[in-house]
Amino acid sequence: MSLVILDACINCALCEIECPNDAISQGPEYYQIDPDRCTECVGHFDTPQCQTICPIECIEPDPQYNESKSILLAKFKRLHPDKTPIL
């Protein structure tokens, strides 16, 4: 499942810096996550780094994108064909 940044975002940019997939960018009002690039850090880390770093905890699973770990891992492999995933 991809993640989503809620409108409570304070635009601190910490999540953008931490994202290993370059899935986070500044939106018109607050940061947003590209679901085509979000792997919830599967392949990189044990936990989503954006959620870990967010000072106001405004990043949640996006119910519109229900993806299993195997789907997220396949997305990781598509985005990073030269990297070995951390399982």
Side-chain angles (χ1 to χ4, degrees):
M1 167 174 300
S2 178
L3 300 172
V4 63
I5 298 174
L6 306 177
D7 61 3
C9 174
I10 59 172
N11 293 311
C12 68
L14 293 173
C15 58
E16 180 182 31
I17 295 165
E18 291 297 316
C19 181
N21 296 314
D22 296 323
I24 302 175
S25 62
Q26 177 66 54
E29 295 180 38
Y30 50 90
Y31 280 83
Q32 56 193 15
I33 298 175
D34 179 350
D36 292 331
R37 297 192 66 83
C38 179
T39 65
E40 290 188 43
C41 290
V42 168
H44 294 284
F45 301 100
D46 291 334
T47 59
Q49 298 302 286
C50 60
Q51 284 183 318
T52 302
I53 197 77
C54 182
I56 60 167
E57 300 176 354
C58 72
I59 302 173
E60 298 181 349
D62 188 340
Q64 291 183 3
Y65 298 95
N66 189 8
E67 299 168 310
S68 66
K69 186 170 183 173
S70 62
I71 291 172
L72 294 171
L73 187 56
K75 194 186 303 186
F76 166 87
K77 291 177 181 178
R78 177 181 52 83
L79 293 169
H80 307 283
D82 298 332
K83 286 190 177 181
T84 302
I86 296 171
L87 302 174

